[in-house]
């Protein structure tokens, strides 16, 4: 084979290898992007769960405080009613 043919052959093989490497890089990049998206989704779910749990805890604490206040109001009314009966 002529030198020019051989050079063309080598160039063709190199082009194919470069294309294969580029394809592999593209697949790897897509794989990395998919993994990052999965991680982001997991992080978002974890954050949502934490926020939900904190809101539920705050709501429970608020309800408890409200119940205490209602109990105190009820006791005060009972004392006032008892005092009013004694004064009658």
């Amino acid at each position: 084979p002529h030198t020019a043919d051989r050079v063309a052959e080598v160039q063709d093989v190199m082009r194919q290898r470069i294309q294969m490497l580029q394809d592999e890089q593209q697949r790897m990049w897509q794989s990395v992007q998919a993994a990052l998206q999965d991680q982001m989704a997991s992080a978002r779910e974890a954050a949502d769960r934490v926020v939900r749990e904190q809101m539920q805890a705050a709501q429970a604490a608020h309800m408890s405080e409200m119940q205490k206040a209602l109990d105190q109001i009820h006791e005060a009314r009972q004392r006032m009613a008892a005092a009013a009966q004694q004064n009658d």
Side-chain angles (χ1 to χ4, degrees):
H2 288 86
T3 304
D5 291 342
R6 186 76 187 118
V7 168
E9 212 176 286
V10 169
Q11 284 179 331
D12 195 45
V13 167
M14 292 303 287
R15 248 192 308 276
Q16 288 174 5
R17 285 186 181 165
I18 288 169
Q19 187 60 52
M20 282 171 49
L21 286 170
Q22 287 175 334
D23 291 348
E24 181 61 23
Q25 268 187 332
Q26 185 64 32
R27 280 193 296 276
M28 287 172 68
W29 176 236
Q30 287 169 348
S31 169
V32 166
Q33 283 181 313
L36 287 173
Q37 285 173 344
D38 287 349
Q39 267 190 335
M40 282 294 290
S42 294
R44 200 174 293 117
E45 286 169 18
D48 286 347
R49 192 166 48 250
V50 167
V51 167
R52 223 177 10 258
E53 287 168 1
Q54 287 180 341
M55 286 179 68
Q56 287 170 347
Q59 189 178 24
H62 182 68
M63 292 295 285
S64 174
E65 288 300 313
M66 290 288 285
Q67 190 58 55
K68 281 183 199 168
L70 287 171
D71 290 345
Q72 289 171 352
I73 290 169
H74 182 67
E75 288 169 15
R77 282 187 176 156
Q78 284 180 327
R79 282 195 304 272
M80 286 168 63
Q85 278 182 347
Q86 284 178 351
N87 292 338
D88 283 351

